[in-house]
Amino acid sequence: MDLFLHLWIMIFIYSIFAMSLNLEMGYTGLFNFGHIAFFGIGAYTSALLTLHQIPFALAFVVALVASGFFGFLLSIPSLRLRGDYFGIATLGFGEILRMVFQNEVWLTKGPMGLPGIPKPILFSYRFATLPQYLLLTMGLTIVTFLILRIIIRSPLGRTLRGIREDEIVLMALGKNAFHFKIKSVVIGSVFAGLAGVLWTHYTTFISPGDFTLSETILVLLIVVLGGKGTEWGPLMGAFVLIFFQESLRFLKLPTEWGRYLAPLQQMIFGGLLIFLMIYRPEGLIREKGEGR
Amino acid sequence: MTESFLEVRDVYSGYGKIEVLHGVSLTVAPKEIVCVIGPNGSGKSTLLKTIVGLIQPTRGFIQFDGSEISHKEPEENVELGIAYIPQGKNIFPSLTVMENLEMGGISLKDSRKARNAIQEIWERYPILQKRRKIKAGSLSGGEKQVLAMARASILQPRLILLDEPSIGLAPKVIDEMYHHINRMNREGIPLLIVEQNARKALRLAHRAYVLDLGRNRLEDTGEGLLNNEEVQHLYLGR
Amino acid sequence: MSYILQSIFNGLLAGCIYALFAMGLTMVYRVLNFVNFAHGELIMWGAYLLYLFMGDPFHFPLYVALIPALGFTILLGLGMDWIVFKPLRRTNRLTLLIAALGISFFLRNGAQLFWGAELRTYGFEIKRGWRLFHISMTANQMAIILATLGCIIIVYLLLYRSIIGKAMRAVSDNLELARVTGINAKKTIRFTWIISSALACVGGILLALDTNLQPGMGMINLVKAFAAILLGGVGNVWGALWGGIFIGLAENLSVLFISTGYKDSIAFGMMVLLLLLRPRVLYGSQE
């Protein structure tokens, strides 16, 4: 039963994370490979604040604002770049941030990590047990889904999709594509931060090693597998991949295998990504109107 | 019946989902100059690209000197002796003039043949020899066109496909270029020339076609089309 | 003062290695018009393959082990292109980038599977070196400089004195024109991968010689190589050379001012500065 709850909590957390990347990547066409950085910023901010006795509600808001703010900072220099350069630049940013987490020991305790992160308390209700946490994550997933759905279907959303299709046409129409891209990255970063907050209070211990390229690949794979640019795609992808990843963990395999299992699993993910790009780039759920 | 050297029969082709040629046919006899004229977007460039193999036709038949080349790749067609000079970007800008010519000779198995051919180029086009160490990108428009034609002639081609050779060039340069085209033809090479500035080409051509919206529209001798009132009105701007 | 000179020397040393990485990366970019995200893994596997052939069960001496290390790295590069990039030739750059990310991930974890995540070294003893003009250098470091010079000379001869090198430059200029000129584009592309992989392999070995081996060494150096080619002008092989040297110098001189933990982020910082000051270099979807 515990495994079941754990599984769903992780699926929901990654759904939010994937939906946020989907907004940037799937809808606006911005391949932000440093997206994990905002997950990390949300996580560390909320962790540090709550560890210093700041109430969760406030920490939560600050964490989201921080993520959005850094998203804004990142987008200014890098959004000028063409698609694939943007990808590499954001990837570099993600790595740099991880180095910051690792080196600024006075702030983040560096590689030793932050233990004992308290469970969230909202309106005097403590989300401590698994079912309670599940409720929290599920609720926030639904909220995220609805908010993003509203955004996608709004004029803003149509503009973002237009940017993905043809930036030149859009600029000819007089809209400033750059500002819209920033909006997309900031919103995406805020929700990534949200996922980070949920995650950090769930695992109660975080360290810089949790925010590496592997997580970026995972969330990228989720979005691509599920079908980028679709509403349900990220959820579908999260379900499939997290299920696979977490159930391996609980198969109670001998621990010596662990040394081989982790890289092997990652190799499968890498291979899956390659396979998808060659044979089914649109993922499981096809976008409306295109079989590209 | 004259054996046609190049035969294009009922060819359909285009880019991905966009079909540009809807069943085009033409022939080029040995030692002929054939001209294709027509407005922008009529598919003239697409036609040449399809013949040389950069684009694969979806339907139709192309034959060169007796063998079918409908689905051959450009590299194979070059080996058969088909030279193609594209419109616009027709030289390698970061290579020197000399290196451009060396590339022209790359498919000649015999490097001595290539070197001799390059010697001939120097004699025929002294302007190129003078600038042989200069990067081709810094040449003038006319010089680039001459280099492109020289590059193609190293192959010892048996057919030359020219895409709008006079585009963007000054009248005097165009004259010079058509002088070279004429000379190559008198040495026995057939040419298929696509032109927008049709007057000069039509004067030189033995036969000509009008292509409009991806379809054959008219066919006649060069003189015939030149004097055709409809052609004059629609395509020669008179 | 001698500390600064030493830093400059170290910077040049690192710069040589980065130059090799950048030159290999930019060659593939010139010819195929995309950034090979898995180039870092060619670097890493080059280094590990040498380790493999010098260790159990082969125990080859260094110069002998170099041959299979180079050979297999080249096969890896050719394989990458043949299995993944070739089927994707006609898609957009982003699909290629994601596929390359997948390859990179696959290869990095593959190395971790075989060799584990711990740091390893080639195990050469640090012999006494020399001292010239207040700069101390070891034999290993001299080897790095000589090897880099050798590679640069070979690349020059290739690109400017050999037909296939000139064909590479022609294909980089205009693939379609190259094909109709009679250049065998496929052969030229294969050759480009061979050179790119070879440069990555040599660079990776030199890096591991100077520092150590670990599965993540590819990725962080990819970012540096990328920064180097941006600095030198994308697609410009000599620019990549200078870009790499510049980054090496910048990294090693920066530790005079900031903490060494951030040394690896200097390259990224350079990139950001470049973008802020000269964004026109890369703006837009054209190129």
Side-chain angles (χ1 to χ4, degrees):
Chain A
M1 186 53 186
D2 268 8
L3 165 63
F4 183 75
L5 294 172
H6 165 80
L7 201 58
W8 279 101
I9 292 174
M10 291 301 273
I11 290 177
F12 284 132
I13 292 178
Y14 272 95
S15 295
I16 298 178
F17 192 22
M19 283 193 278
S20 69
L21 182 62
N22 190 28
L23 178 69
E24 295 181 27
M25 202 172 91
Y27 287 105
T28 321
L30 296 169
F31 284 71
N32 183 354
F33 292 141
H35 203 59
I36 184 75
F38 308 107
F39 185 87
I41 290 173
Y44 264 102
T45 309
S46 186
L48 285 169
L49 290 175
T50 51
L51 279 173
H52 284 89
Q53 271 79 50
I54 309 271
F56 176 74
L58 185 59
F60 177 81
V61 170
V62 174
L64 261 55
V65 167
S67 308
F69 177 68
F70 277 97
F72 178 72
L73 280 187
L74 170 69
S75 35
I76 308 276
S78 51
L79 277 177
R80 301 174 203 249
L81 295 176
R82 196 185 64 195
D84 51 347
Y85 291 152
F86 176 76
I88 299 183
T90 50
L91 190 108
F93 178 77
E95 283 292 291
I96 303 302
L97 206 74
R98 188 179 55 79
M99 271 185 247
V100 170
F101 291 151
Q102 200 158 317
N103 288 316
E104 299 307 311
V105 182
W106 58 275
L107 184 65
T108 63
K109 290 236 188 80
M112 294 174 290
L114 296 169
I117 302 169
K119 290 288 184 201
I121 303 177
L122 265 180
F123 313 118
S124 321
Y125 186 76
R126 196 153 171 273
F127 292 90
T129 65
L130 282 179
Q132 289 168 329
Y133 213 84
L134 180 63
L135 231 51
L136 177 66
T137 52
M138 183 158 73
L140 283 171
T141 304
I142 295 175
V143 168
T144 305
F145 182 80
L146 291 173
I147 294 181
L148 287 176
R149 170 184 271 220
I150 292 173
I151 292 178
I152 295 298
R153 295 184 183 192
S154 74
L156 171 65
R158 280 196 289 281
T159 309
L160 294 179
R161 247 172 307 171
I163 291 175
R164 191 190 71 184
E165 299 303 314
D166 192 338
E167 177 164 341
I168 299 174
V169 166
L170 205 58
M171 295 236 274
L173 289 176
K175 302 198 187 207
N176 194 333
F178 192 65
H179 286 160
F180 284 101
K181 284 184 185 177
I182 294 186
K183 283 202 181 108
S184 169
V185 172
V186 169
I187 297 175
S189 307
V190 166
F191 282 104
L194 169 62
V197 169
L198 283 174
W199 186 79
T200 193
H201 289 281
Y202 177 61
T203 61
T204 70
F205 172 76
I206 59 172
S207 69
D210 297 322
F211 307 107
T212 66
L213 193 59
S214 307
E215 276 63 47
T216 298
I217 299 278
L218 179 58
V219 72
L220 178 66
L221 189 56
I222 290 176
V223 174
V224 167
L225 176 66
K228 62 178 172 69
T230 65
E231 283 175 8
W232 290 97
L235 295 158
M236 177 67 116
F239 178 74
V240 171
L241 287 169
I242 300 300
F243 187 83
F244 174 69
Q245 184 180 266
E246 295 301 312
S247 33
L248 272 186
R249 191 172 298 189
F250 278 75
L251 237 77
K252 300 236 193 311
L253 293 164
T255 39
E256 312 90 69
W257 288 28
R259 198 188 100 106
Y260 299 106
L261 217 54
L264 200 58
Q265 183 202 281
Q266 309 286 54
M267 283 172 80
I268 294 178
F269 282 166
L272 191 54
L273 206 51
I274 297 173
F275 182 83
L276 279 171
M277 285 299 109
I278 300 179
Y279 296 108
R280 198 168 167 131
E282 64 275 9
L284 290 170
I285 301 181
R286 271 213 183 103
E287 214 175 317
K288 268 188 287 221
E290 244 136 31
R292 249 197 297 190
Chain B
M1 175 165 118
T2 12
E3 206 33 39
S4 56
F5 202 41
L6 173 74
E7 182 184 349
V8 173
R9 203 193 311 153
D10 218 20
V11 158
Y12 289 74
S13 113
Y15 305 92
K17 294 188 183 150
I18 307 172
E19 192 181 78
V20 175
L21 299 176
H22 319 291
V24 170
S25 304
L26 62 74
T27 60
V28 178
K31 308 203 187 178
E32 245 193 340
I33 296 182
V34 173
C35 180
V36 175
I37 65 171
N40 259 329
S42 52
K44 311 192 295 294
S45 285
T46 310
L47 175 60
L48 290 186
K49 286 190 182 167
T50 310
I51 296 174
V52 83
L54 285 172
I55 300 173
Q56 296 296 320
T58 47
R59 259 153 68 190
F61 177 77
I62 307 176
Q63 178 176 284
F64 176 67
D65 195 18
S67 47
E68 179 176 357
I69 61 164
S70 315
H71 294 283
K72 283 208 194 278
E73 299 283 322
E75 292 87 353
E76 296 171 281
N77 287 327
V78 166
E79 298 242 327
L80 290 173
I82 300 178
Y84 167 61
I85 303 175
Q87 172 194 335
K89 302 189 183 152
N90 51 20
I91 47 101
F92 298 112
S94 69
L95 270 62
T96 63
V97 168
M98 176 82 190
E99 288 171 336
N100 264 274
L101 293 176
E102 282 176 337
M103 291 297 105
I106 209 173
S107 59
L108 296 174
K109 303 303 175 193
D110 187 350
S111 62
R112 219 177 326 131
K113 238 200 238 164
R115 263 179 281 129
N116 290 339
I118 295 184
Q119 255 321 109
E120 269 183 56
I121 301 287
W122 298 147
E123 287 157 23
R124 222 167 244 184
Y125 308 95
I127 183 87
L128 288 181
Q129 177 174 36
K130 223 179 356 156
R131 295 165 102 62
R132 73 178 186 277
K133 293 222 169 118
I134 298 192
K135 286 214 161 121
S138 359
L139 295 176
S140 72
E143 288 167 341
K144 284 183 185 163
Q145 191 65 31
V146 168
L147 175 60
M149 298 211 303
R151 189 265 307 153
S153 68
I154 290 188
L155 266 174
Q156 274 142 22
R158 297 159 67 218
L159 168 68
I160 298 183
L161 307 171
L162 273 167
D163 196 345
E164 300 208 27
S166 60
I167 201 169
L169 297 180
K172 199 169 142 219
V173 182
I174 298 178
D175 277 344
E176 216 186 289
M177 205 182 41
Y178 270 95
H179 164 74
H180 287 303
I181 291 177
N182 203 8
R183 186 182 37 77
M184 282 197 271
N185 180 245
R186 268 188 272 125
E187 286 168 1
I189 306 175
L191 294 116
L192 178 58
I193 307 176
V194 149
E195 268 289 26
Q196 187 93 329
N197 171 3
R199 225 175 295 273
K200 245 200 171 48
L202 286 175
R203 212 165 280 142
L204 198 59
H206 297 103
R207 280 187 311 113
Y209 295 81
V210 175
L211 212 64
D212 203 337
L213 292 178
R215 290 194 164 85
N216 289 70
R217 186 103 199 268
L218 288 171
E219 182 190 338
D220 203 342
T221 62
E223 277 297 313
L225 281 187
L226 200 55
N227 295 325
N228 180 315
E229 270 184 27
E230 190 189 347
V231 170
Q232 284 182 1
H233 181 62
L234 287 174
Y235 307 112
L236 301 178
R238 192 171 284 172
Chain C
M1 179 56 181
S2 75
Y3 186 59
I4 296 182
L5 280 176
Q6 186 71 46
S7 295
I8 293 179
F9 177 71
N10 292 343
L12 282 172
L13 220 51
C16 283
I17 296 177
Y18 297 152
L20 292 176
F21 295 158
M23 283 164 72
L25 187 63
T26 209
M27 275 185 197
V28 166
Y29 178 85
R30 277 166 57 113
V31 166
L32 290 174
N33 209 16
F34 83 101
V35 179
N36 177 12
F37 224 76
H39 192 71
E41 271 50 57
L42 288 174
I43 293 172
M44 184 261 286
W45 271 86
Y48 269 102
L49 281 167
L50 186 72
Y51 182 83
L52 177 70
F53 288 108
M54 290 202 300
D56 304 319
F58 304 96
H59 290 293
F60 294 150
L62 174 70
Y63 292 103
V64 176
L66 260 176
I67 301 173
L70 261 173
F72 281 106
T73 308
I74 289 175
L75 278 177
L76 194 56
L78 286 170
M80 236 181 245
D81 185 51
W82 190 61
I83 299 176
V84 181
F85 297 133
K86 195 157 133 209
L88 293 175
R89 281 272 201 264
R90 300 193 191 281
T91 61
N92 57 58
R93 278 197 203 88
L94 285 163
T95 310
L96 282 167
L97 184 57
I98 297 180
L101 251 180
I103 298 177
S104 160
F105 207 57
F106 184 82
L107 290 176
R108 194 168 349 124
N109 283 283
Q112 194 169 317
L113 191 68
F114 289 137
W115 290 289
E118 322 83 64
L119 257 55
R120 290 168 191 270
T121 63
Y122 289 134
F124 294 128
E125 37 175 83
I126 314 246
K127 303 192 196 100
R128 270 185 66 92
W130 315 276
R131 237 185 124 69
L132 261 95
F133 309 116
H134 306 287
I135 303 172
S136 43
M137 62 174 95
T138 66
N140 278 358
Q141 294 176 325
M142 182 53 48
I144 291 176
I145 297 181
L146 290 175
T148 305
L149 278 173
C151 285
I152 293 175
I153 293 175
I154 292 177
V155 166
Y156 173 78
L157 288 175
L158 216 56
L159 288 180
Y160 293 93
R161 294 293 158 97
S162 81
I163 283 289
I164 186 120
K166 293 176 190 178
M168 271 169 68
R169 286 162 53 215
V171 170
S172 311
D173 271 355
N174 189 334
L175 175 62
E176 273 198 357
L177 183 64
R179 297 181 71 196
V180 302
T181 303
I183 296 175
N184 186 337
K186 292 200 180 128
K187 200 166 89 166
T188 309
I189 290 173
R190 273 199 297 265
F191 191 72
T192 308
W193 279 100
I194 292 177
I195 302 298
S196 176
S197 311
L199 286 171
C201 181
V202 173
I205 290 174
L206 293 176
L207 179 66
L209 207 60
D210 200 38
T211 58
N212 52 49
L213 289 142
Q214 43 110 355
M217 67 195 271
M219 172 94 332
I220 194 65
N221 283 291
L222 172 74
V223 177
K224 295 183 191 181
F226 180 66
I229 70 180
L230 281 188
L231 280 173
V234 193
N236 183 339
V237 177
W238 307 119
L241 170 60
W242 293 119
I245 298 205
F246 184 80
I247 294 207
L249 282 170
E251 269 189 3
N252 280 279
L253 289 173
S254 74
V255 293
L256 299 171
F257 309 108
I258 64 174
S259 127
T260 47
Y262 286 110
K263 197 162 145 193
D264 288 333
S265 59
I266 293 293
F268 181 72
M270 300 264 108
M271 208 158 63
V272 171
L273 263 169
L274 179 72
L275 296 172
L276 287 174
L277 299 176
R278 292 206 323 169
R280 224 173 298 274
V281 173
L282 302 145
Y283 180 63
S285 38
Q286 265 68 50
E287 255 215 64

